[in-house]
Amino acid sequence: MQATTTQVRQQDVPIIRTGVGTVTPLATVTVRSRIDGQLERVGFVEGQDVKAGQLLAQLDARALQVQLEQAQAQKAKDAALLGNARIDLRRYETLIAQDAATRQQLDTQRALVAQLEAALKMDQAQIDAAQVQLSYATITAPIGGRTGARLVDPGNIVHATDPGGLVVINQIDPIAVVFSLPEGAFQDVNRALQGSQAPLAVQVSLPGSAQALASGRLTLLNNQIDNTTGTIRLKAQFGNPQHALWPGQYVDARLVLGVRRGALTVPAAAVQRGPEGTYVYTVGADGSAQIAPVEVAQIQDGLAVIDQGLAAGQRVVVDGQYKLRPGLKVAEAPRAAASEGGR
């Protein structure tokens, strides 16, 4: 009876949990005006990467500039009055010492000085408020990221209450991936987090692809399990300088919980399932096939990790099991034998 066989290998195997995720911006900001006014110019290009603090839009600020100058003029006026009142106060203090003025006149002058000092503080507050309002006419990027479509054109009147805003900025480098795992994986993930001083590694790839798009780190294990879906939500962060990940994209996320040292592994195709559980066909020294019940710890990327039932170096059948019966003699299939000899 011909079949393809391979040896049970002992190797380090990563402990992985896989889930389906969605790429999301690390941060999203809808840029809105904080005041009403006419949009004079736009300082960004649609789809452009912008830096935090970069000019995005400029509103007509002439009315706000006038308000600031009025507040500054009022402060200058009150400062002059305060200076004169303080001079008069010093005069009254001299006259009271010479018994040439009444105590009431001195107290009244002191009250006037205090009143003008308070007025000066109010004037400064008005100046600060006017400067804040004037600064709102210059709209800058609150975060670095990629701009979307421009939602308002120059010349239009914008309002602080406009729901759409001027533009939406998505931070895409770094970027995040939100994915879910079955609630049964929670304890394994939690133990891995407790036992690791470094963040757990996460790899993402396109659905159905084995090639990783990016590698990152786990940043969130959600604080509750979703009872409606029976899943736990997780988030990972990735560097994205080449923009391989894009918001809204579906990806497969692989969370690495650790490494199983010296694990016994066989190709996943070797593992069969029957009424009594999982098993493999082994080939003894005399070439006869035997059924060996096994306990499978995990199957990942076409590799099965065996907890019990096999030993390193044993030969197991990976193709042709459907023709086998216990006790039948097994001969290596020609193509598999030639391939193995080439290795």
Side-chain angles (χ1 to χ4, degrees):
M1 169 67 200
Q2 290 186 341
T4 302
T5 67
T6 190
Q7 285 188 337
V8 178
R9 296 185 179 181
Q10 192 169 21
Q11 58 184 323
D12 295 341
V13 178
I15 303 171
I16 293 174
R17 297 292 181 269
T18 302
V20 177
T22 304
V23 180
T24 62
L26 195 65
T28 298
V29 175
T30 300
V31 180
R32 294 185 172 90
S33 173
R34 300 181 69 172
I35 58 173
D36 297 347
Q38 185 177 28
L39 181 60
E40 286 190 337
R41 64 188 180 94
V42 172
F44 68 94
V45 177
E46 294 175 306
Q48 174 191 22
D49 287 327
V50 296
K51 297 180 179 180
Q54 180 176 330
L55 176 68
L56 297 180
Q58 180 66 55
L59 304 183
D60 183 0
R62 289 174 295 177
L64 299 174
Q65 183 65 41
V66 169
Q67 292 176 7
L68 175 59
E69 292 172 356
Q70 288 176 337
Q72 290 171 334
Q74 183 63 42
K75 181 182 178 181
K77 174 184 176 182
D78 289 341
L81 293 175
L82 176 60
N84 186 61
R86 283 173 174 168
I87 293 173
D88 286 346
L89 177 60
R90 287 195 294 270
R91 291 194 184 109
Y92 278 115
E93 289 173 341
T94 301
L95 292 173
I96 201 70
Q98 299 172 356
D99 201 21
T102 65
R103 175 64 62 178
Q104 181 180 4
Q105 288 175 315
L106 178 62
D107 292 342
T108 300
Q109 192 62 29
R110 283 176 174 168
L112 178 60
V113 169
Q115 178 182 350
L116 290 172
E117 288 175 341
L120 207 63
K121 291 181 179 179
M122 179 177 292
D123 293 338
Q124 184 59 50
Q126 293 292 336
I127 291 173
D128 293 341
Q131 288 175 334
V132 169
Q133 289 296 310
L134 181 60
S135 70
Y136 291 159
T138 302
I139 302 173
T140 58
I143 62 171
R146 176 64 65 92
T147 59
R150 186 178 69 245
L151 303 178
V152 180
D153 295 324
N156 285 282
I157 303 297
V158 297
H159 304 275
T161 56
D162 290 342
L166 302 177
V167 67
V168 176
I169 300 176
N170 285 335
Q171 185 176 1
I172 59 176
D173 183 21
I175 202 166
V177 171
V178 176
F179 62 101
S180 298
L181 294 177
E183 64 176 301
F186 167 75
Q187 293 299 339
D188 291 338
V189 176
N190 191 44
R191 280 194 296 267
L193 285 171
Q194 298 296 328
S196 175
Q197 295 182 350
L200 298 183
V202 181
Q203 299 173 345
V204 293
S205 59
L206 294 176
S209 173
Q211 183 178 2
L213 285 177
S215 298
R217 57 187 178 87
L218 186 70
T219 58
L220 170 69
L221 173 64
N222 203 21
N223 58 4
Q224 67 178 15
I225 294 172
D226 188 340
N227 291 328
T228 59
T229 61
T231 59
I232 183 74
R233 189 182 184 198
L234 303 96
K235 180 188 286 188
Q237 181 176 317
F238 301 83
N240 194 34
Q242 303 300 322
H243 297 167
L245 301 177
W246 204 251
Q249 185 178 19
Y250 287 103
V251 292
D252 289 336
R254 294 158 50 93
L255 174 63
V256 182
L257 301 183
V259 177
R260 192 185 299 269
R261 303 292 181 185
L264 298 177
T265 63
V266 297
V271 179
Q272 305 295 303
R273 288 170 175 81
E276 298 181 359
T278 54
Y279 66 93
V280 299
Y281 275 104
T282 62
V283 180
D286 61 353
S288 61
Q290 299 295 333
I291 290 179
V294 295
E295 291 186 10
V296 180
Q298 72 173 41
I299 296 178
Q300 186 71 42
D301 297 332
L303 202 65
V305 177
I306 306 300
D307 264 351
Q308 292 183 7
L310 294 176
Q314 280 187 281
R315 297 199 70 83
V316 296
V317 178
V318 296
D319 187 29
Q321 299 97 321
Y322 69 98
K323 297 179 182 178
L324 284 179
R325 297 292 183 273
L328 287 179
K329 297 293 184 179
V330 176
E332 191 70 28
R335 288 185 61 187
S339 175
E340 198 167 273
R343 291 197 301 267

